[in-house]
Amino acid sequence: MEDGALQCIQGPAEVPMMSPNGSIPPIHVPPGYISQVTVRNGSGPCVRVAKPLSHNEDVISPLIGEYPFLGNMFTKCDSSMQQPNKQQKNRLNFKQLCFVIKLESVCILGPQVSNVQSRSALVSWTSVSVLGSSGQVPSCGYELQLKDKGRDGKYKVVYSTVCNSVKGPSSDARAFTTHSAPPDTPLPPRLSHRTKSSLTLQWKGKKNSIFREYYVGHQRHCKVMRLYPAVGYTFRVAALNDIGTSGFSTEVVFYTTGSLPQTSLPPWLVQAGPSWVTLEWMRPNSCSTEEVVTYTLEMQDETKVLNSPLPPHPIIPLCRSYYGFLGEWHSAPSSLLVCKTTPDRPGPPVNPAVNTVTYHSFCVTWGRKIFKSTFYISKSFINWATLYRGPERKHLCEDRKPATSYSLRLSCVNVGGQSQCSDDLTVCTHIPPPGRCQPPIIVGNVKHKEMTLQWDGPLCGEESENVEFSLEMCAMEEGSEPTEVYCGCKAECTVGNLLPGTTYRFQVRAANSAGYGPYSESVEISTAAGPPGQCRPPAINVMSHTCADVTWENKESSGIDISEYRLDWGRDLDSLELVYSGTETYFQISNLEASTDYCCRLQAVNQAGAGPYSDLVTCRTPAAAPDVVSGFCLVDHPLNPTESEPFSHSTCLALTWDEPRCNGAEMTSYSISMGDSIITAGNVTCHIIRDLLPDSEYSLQIRAENEMGPGPFSQTLTVRTRPLPPSPPRLECAAVGPQSLKLRWGFSSRSQLTDDTTYVLQMEDRNQRFVVVYRGPSHTFKLQRLSESSRYRFRIQAVSEAGEGPFSETYTICTTKSLPQTLKAPRVVQLKGNACEVTWESIPPMRGDRISYVLQVLGGRGSDYKQVYKGDETSFQLSGLQWNTDYRVRVFACRRCADTLQELWGSFGPSAHFNLRRSDATLAVEADVTRVSMGNTLTDEQFAGLMVFGVASLSVLMAFLLQLLI
């Protein structure tokens, strides 16, 4: 009941079940009874407890099972199952649904509905089991049916499982209501009626223009007032409920109706052309300024129509002279307008032709005869002049300039106007031959082999343009023929290859495209006296590899004495330099290089100038001994070391030098002077002097030798050998372990120990290569992380300022084997009687060596540990022990070396203490290795621990009591 009390009702009875969320609580009925849920109009669900079943009927007992998930599979339900409240009535888009479950062969309780959403809900029910008459449990299946309020009202199966063919009765229906949701996007509104100033819209349910909210309400139609006639408006609609607002529908455009325009006035002609006319018309007075008026302009005999929102000025192309137009405003058409196009101008005439061209005139002709022709002429295609106007078809152009280009064009004229001009025609008058030129004159001074002539062309005029000149020369000797020496456009020419002191006759004439003009008057011109002629080649007498004598013959000049001779000397033609200038016919050249090619040439000079060079003469100086060796110095390391002969700075000197000039003979050897001895080296640039005294000074000189003999010695080089490097120390092992070695070294005598000595310790790796493991001044070094029972090879050397000393002999040191690890304290378990079992941890074999264990016991009357077991096992039973006696046991491991048959004993592990006590309750007591006898007194540490535990427990209890009081 509502107050929580229980009321006993004798069945069958119907109990109203009131639940705030509409769910049915679990129903508990006595054995043999069943509960049925029914739904009544206005009173909600009720539970009906049925009578007990007879012995012949099957017993049904409800079982709690899993809730199956149904998803979104729904069917409409009858609206009479449950009425919504007032708040739900004001919401949109909700459904009242009912579920019915059929249990095969038996009846099942009504389903439970939970997790209700706008479009989904979770349905669950209690599983049942059926016990048949034969005692077997047949398989049961479920069928979930759903019906929706707003559709046909019939149940439809939305969930089913595999079951037998026999079906039981359906359970009571369970009704529920889905949650509300925002409405769906409605369809766009449609137009039901329109006038000039209003639109009536209805609806059932993006351009970024600015929309104004016009209507909000429950109606599905509205009338929009105060609109403009013949104007389009864009509309969209959205639905709204308590949950939210749907999206807007697609946009639609509707137009208001317009006024019927009056009969328009006919259009009038504004302007006419040969193939076009311009028309205008008036806007009807009956249309307001906001209305958009469309005009239709028609031609009477062809489909030429122009649509425009404003009165235009169209240009209509026509094909005939007379046309009619009709203006229509969706009303009566206007009256006809008849207009006339103007005559067209003629087309361009045929291109004119030119014939009978002379120096000063030409004749032009053209095509068919027309009303009148206009003939134009121009020189630059810019300024055109009218040359002829009339009906004739040819014209003679006189008084023209010769060799001049003229451009011609032609046009026609009739009543319609003047045509376009024809293509331009170019004609050029002929060029006359040039006139007589002026005789040539001399420009500048006359030279002995050339002169420069200049002349004036024919008189200025058209014939002087594009003129070439031809200059002819003729010697004064009898029988000489004139020769053309120049032909070109310039009025100036330089004539060369002339003889000095000779007279020549010159004349010139001009030529153009019409031909040559007459020769000018001839003129005689003489050349000046010339420079000397080419000298004979000089003679070279090589005196030594550094000196040579050059001699030549005296050359007679043509009419002028020789003022000087010029001698050029060098190694080749490009390196020739002036080495002598004078009147002598002899010159000695020194400071030459041995075995080198030289060349020379000679030139004579007089008052007229310098003559040509003689032929080139070559010579070669003889070979000589080499030059002085340079770059003689001492180096730290030899340039070409050899492994067979080791190098030591204490007894050896590494020398190097630069190869000098061989002076034409191949280099054979080098000689090194060291005191009174001479050391000979081959044709190389380095050498090692061995077997010297350590820490000694030497003075050295070197010279080169070739086939011609030895060269001079170089400057003295003073060098000094280094002291002897230290000998290797004696290496020994100071300590050895399984994974480590400690090495130490030292000298047998104190004299070899210095502060600046560094030691290099090397160890051989797996590839039989020695690697450095230590470098420093210390005398000891410890190596870690080595392998047990392994051999290692070492060597050592000492390094000082004198250099690196030799390595010591190789030392071989072997690491020892590892001892077994220390075991933990054994565990002791008391057995029946006065016996116990001792167990301990095991150790795996070490590098193939077996591990054995030794157990020792201390107790009883003895004061020392006694060995009681040795073997490979990890447990041992002790018997014959005394009651109430303290015992201690300990274990250590032993490694049995297979190669040396040696046993390596590990250290003792911690001992375990135990005490055998007689007990009447049980004989199996496990001895704790860390337990202390209860008869013993507590230690200070144990007493302090008990005090801390007591205080902590009391604090927790007080905190719990305070929490309960608060």
Side-chain angles (χ1 to χ4, degrees), residues 408-422:
L408 310 175
R409 61 173 53 172
L410 184 67
S411 67
C412 302
V413 181
N414 65 0
V415 179
Q418 186 174 358
S419 69
Q420 295 181 354
C421 294
S422 65

Side-chain angles (χ1 to χ4, degrees), residues 21 33 66 89 163 275 380 398-399 423 432 546 549 580 592 626 692 733 737 763 787 807 812 849 926 953:
N21 57 1
Y33 285 80
E66 298 290 336
K89 287 182 179 181
C163 57
S275 60
S380 59
E398 297 179 332
D399 299 331
D423 296 338
T546 60
D549 292 338
Y580 172 75
L592 301 181
L692 302 177
C733 181
M763 183 178 70
S787 299
F807 280 98
T812 303
D849 297 341
E926 182 177 356
S953 301

Side-chain angles (χ1 to χ4, degrees), residues 502-775:
T502 306
T503 303
Y504 296 90
R505 181 184 293 115
F506 298 91
Q507 60 183 3
V508 67
R509 64 177 176 174
N512 59 10
S513 59
Y516 282 99
Y519 280 103
S520 66
E521 295 179 0
S522 61
V523 61
E524 296 180 359
I525 305 175
S526 299
T527 57
Q534 185 179 17
C535 299
R536 293 182 180 182
I540 303 175
N541 183 19
V542 179
M543 306 300 294
S544 66
H545 69 281
T546 60
C547 180
D549 292 338
V550 182
T551 59
W552 58 88
E553 295 180 1
N554 187 7
K555 178 164 180 67
E556 296 180 359
S557 177
S558 58
I560 304 178
D561 295 336
I562 299 296
S563 60
E564 65 176 354
Y565 292 97
R566 295 177 181 177
L567 179 64
D568 293 344
W569 182 272
R571 293 188 178 183
D572 51 26
L573 184 62
D574 296 333
S575 62
L576 288 175
E577 295 180 357
L578 181 64
V579 296
Y580 172 75
S581 176
T583 59
E584 300 294 335
T585 59
Y586 164 82
F587 183 72
Q588 186 180 47
I589 302 175
S590 58
N591 297 328
L592 301 181
E593 295 181 3
S595 186
T596 304
D597 292 328
Y598 291 95
C599 60
C600 66
R601 64 185 180 182
L602 186 66
Q603 182 185 39
V605 181
N606 61 10
Q607 296 179 358
Y613 284 101
S614 67
D615 295 336
L616 201 66
V617 180
T618 61
C619 68
R620 183 178 181 84
T621 57
D627 291 347
V628 178
V629 178
S630 61
F632 187 45
C633 62
L634 178 69
V635 294
D636 292 337
H637 299 282
L639 300 181
N640 297 321
T642 57
E643 297 182 357
S644 59
E645 298 181 3
F647 179 82
S648 175
H649 290 285
S650 301
T651 59
C652 300
L653 291 175
L655 303 175
T656 183
W657 57 87
D658 298 332
E659 183 177 359
R661 286 181 53 86
C662 63
N663 290 333
E666 184 179 358
M667 200 77 69
T668 58
S669 62
Y670 293 90
S671 299
I672 301 175
S673 173
M674 186 176 64
D676 298 335
S677 62
I678 299 296
I679 302 173
T680 303
N683 188 12
V684 294
T685 58
C686 61
H687 184 72
I688 299 176
I689 303 177
R690 302 179 182 275
D691 301 330
L692 302 177
L693 297 177
D695 197 15
S696 300
E697 187 175 278
Y698 296 91
S699 296
L700 305 176
Q701 285 182 315
I702 189 171
R703 67 180 178 182
E705 297 181 6
N706 61 4
E707 296 176 355
M708 304 305 296
F713 275 104
S714 66
Q715 294 181 355
T716 302
L717 175 65
T718 302
V719 295
R720 188 179 186 86
T721 57
R722 298 182 184 180
L724 287 175
S727 59
R730 181 169 46 85
L731 184 66
E732 61 182 8
C733 181
V736 61
Q739 285 87 26
S740 64
L741 289 174
K742 185 177 181 181
L743 304 178
R744 64 184 177 186
W745 53 87
F747 294 98
S748 57
S749 62
R750 286 288 182 180
S751 60
Q752 297 186 8
L753 293 177
T754 57
D755 296 337
D756 58 348
T757 303
T758 301
Y759 303 97
V760 179
L761 178 65
Q762 294 184 350
M763 183 178 70
E764 189 179 44
D765 60 4
R766 297 179 180 178
N767 299 325
Q768 285 76 43
R769 295 180 303 180
F770 281 93
V771 295
V772 177
V773 295
Y774 172 75
R775 180 187 297 271

